């Protein structure tokens, strides 16, 4: 395992095929599942750890973002990473004219509406990582379904020779999607946060029973969360998995996504709905045998 801070050093150290796992650090089982997938497929696994200021609209959110690089190094190594790339702000954004990437349409709805400028920041940092490291494949979680659609669209649109791989959502045993932000939940908020995934699972059950109208699925989520005062739902939407365009009816593959603050902490989650065969994918649960606790992960 090597910890490197410049793009040039990563390019020099890489051998064979390269799998990149971009992260903002404070790793959890969701990140580790991506590293394991990359490790199974690529010769060199690079995990980037960079809290990207460009994608935070709210300075207090950026300041509150948790960080623990020594812990990240240990966990990433156990999961199969070969290189941790931890650049400073100047390596990522050298002084001089700002150069950015904007992907139209895909980032407009949902997160784009509630976090203006967020996806320009995401597209820019991911484009820089792709250009500076040159991975053969890059691994992203379906937890950020709109981000995955955006990155895939960007790579295709800019002709980047990288395979963008979407990986399942990893959840706590009770269903809450893992997130670095979960550490900021108070005990009370943590016990209420499980209602987010429960609402999505209830909507998936409705989908499994044959419901295809986005409005009905959304309403179920909205109504089941409205009864909890500490949960403030920003949106519940059904969107096409590739374009992230909001849709009215599930015909092909779509995701039902939500964003909400729980006790002031902003969380997102989604479930995948396949209108072609009527199946759903809600992700996977961790168990106590996982890497974080000393065994193999579930993925
Ligand atoms: P972040 O550090 O939050 O920027 O996330 C880095 C990568 O990990 C992104 O591709 C996320 O989608 C992915 N990720 C975060 N949480 C999860 C999760 N619970 N399950 C699977 N992937 C995740």
């Amino acid at each position: 395992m090597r910890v490197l801070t410049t793009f040039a050093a990563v390019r020099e150290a890489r051998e064979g095929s390269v799998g990149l796992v971009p992260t903002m650090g404070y790793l959890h089982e969701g990140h580790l599942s991506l590293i394991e997938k990359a490790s199974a497929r690529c010769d060199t696994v690079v995990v980037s750890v960079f809290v990207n200021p460009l994608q935070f609209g709210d300075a207090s959110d950026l300041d509150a973002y948790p960080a623990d690089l020594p812990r990240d190094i240990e966990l990433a190594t156990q999961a199969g990473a070969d290189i941790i790339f931890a650049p400073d702000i100047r390596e990522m954004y050298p002084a001089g004219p700002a150069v950015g990437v904007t992907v139209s349409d895909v980032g407009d709805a949902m997160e784009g509406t509630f976090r203006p400028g967020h996806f320009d920041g995401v597209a820019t940092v991911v484009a820089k990582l792709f250009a500076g490291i040159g991975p053969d494949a890059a691994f992203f979680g379906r937890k950020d379904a709109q981000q995955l659609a955006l990155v895939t669209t960007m790579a295709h649109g800019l002709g980047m020779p990288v395979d963008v791989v979407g990986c399942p959502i990893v959840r706590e045993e009770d269903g809450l999607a893992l997130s670095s932000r979960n550490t900021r939940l108070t005990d009370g908020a943590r016990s209420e946060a499980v209602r987010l995934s429960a609402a999505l699972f209830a909507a998936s059950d409705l989908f499994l029973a044959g419901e295809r109208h986005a409005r009905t699925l959304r309403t179920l989520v909205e109504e089941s969360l409205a009864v909890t005062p500490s949960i403030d739902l920003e949106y519940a939407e059904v969107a096409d998995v590739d374009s992230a365009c909001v849709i009215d009816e599930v015909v092909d593959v779509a995701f039902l996504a939500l964003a909400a603050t729980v006790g002031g902490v902003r969380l997102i989650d989604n479930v995948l709905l396949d209108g072609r065969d009527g199946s759903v994918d809600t992700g996977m649960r961790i168990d106590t045998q996982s890497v974080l606790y000393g065994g193999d992960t579930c993925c």
Side-chain angles (χ1 to χ4, degrees):
M1 157 63 73
R2 299 177 68 185
V3 181
L4 304 173
T5 56
T6 65
F7 283 109
V10 175
R11 284 196 298 272
E12 203 173 299
R14 54 173 285 178
E15 281 172 9
S17 62
V18 175
L20 172 67
V21 180
T23 81
M24 296 205 296
Y26 215 73
L27 302 186
H28 53 62
E29 294 281 359
H31 300 112
L32 302 186
S33 72
L34 307 184
I35 298 170
E36 290 186 337
K37 213 157 228 164
S39 171
R41 211 176 121 171
C42 302
D43 300 320
T44 302
V45 176
V46 181
V47 178
S48 62
V49 175
F50 179 69
V51 181
N52 178 29
L54 244 56
Q55 67 189 70
F56 286 83
D58 177 356
S60 62
D61 192 25
L62 174 62
D63 291 344
Y65 207 84
D68 188 345
L69 189 60
R71 176 179 172 274
D72 289 345
I73 293 168
E74 198 183 322
L75 290 173
T77 307
Q78 284 176 38
D82 302 294
I83 295 171
I84 297 270
F85 177 48
D88 67 10
I89 188 83
R90 288 210 180 123
E91 177 69 7
M92 194 60 88
Y93 299 116
V99 177
V101 178
T102 296
V103 182
S104 50
D105 301 339
V106 183
D108 289 353
M110 300 176 287
E111 291 299 286
T113 305
F114 285 86
R115 301 183 73 187
H118 169 70
F119 280 130
D120 287 352
V122 171
T124 300
V125 78
V126 173
K128 283 183 178 241
L129 289 166
F130 284 4
I133 295 171
D136 298 280
F139 298 79
F140 291 84
R142 291 199 175 279
K143 159 133 183 303
D144 297 85
Q146 191 176 9
Q147 170 177 280
L148 175 60
L150 178 108
V151 171
T152 307
T153 304
M154 177 191 74
H156 181 72
L158 293 177
M160 295 168 152
V162 53
D163 185 12
V164 177
V165 182
C167 305
I169 298 174
V170 180
R171 301 179 177 281
E172 298 277 1
E173 270 177 326
D174 67 0
L176 176 68
L178 296 189
S179 165
S180 307
R181 292 170 191 268
N182 291 354
T183 54
R184 283 159 53 189
L185 295 166
T186 61
D187 288 349
R190 169 64 185 85
S191 58
E192 290 184 338
V194 73
R195 292 170 188 258
L196 303 184
S197 52
L200 291 171
F201 298 162
S204 331
D205 287 343
L206 207 57
F207 179 83
L208 284 171
E211 182 58 60
R212 295 291 179 270
H213 293 104
R215 191 174 173 180
T216 312
L217 299 169
R218 270 185 1 235
T219 303
L220 190 151
V221 171
E222 287 161 4
E223 287 179 352
S224 53
L225 296 178
V227 294
T228 310
S230 67
I231 297 183
D232 189 5
L233 182 68
E234 288 185 352
Y235 66 80
E237 295 284 7
V238 180
D240 177 77
V241 75
D242 296 320
S243 68
C245 285
V246 169
I247 54 175
D248 294 331
E249 194 179 349
V250 183
V251 178
D252 295 314
V253 188
F255 59 92
L256 168 60
L258 62 76
T261 55
V262 184
V265 179
R266 188 174 190 278
L267 301 175
I268 60 171
D269 196 357
N270 72 86
V271 288
L272 207 57
L273 310 173
D274 191 335
R276 298 166 308 179
D277 62 6
S279 66
V280 303
D281 182 352
T282 58
M284 53 186 62
R285 317 278 176 117
I286 56 170
D287 57 41
T288 46
Q289 295 304 304
S290 58
V291 153
L292 214 50
Y293 307 96
D296 290 330
T297 64
C298 51
C299 324

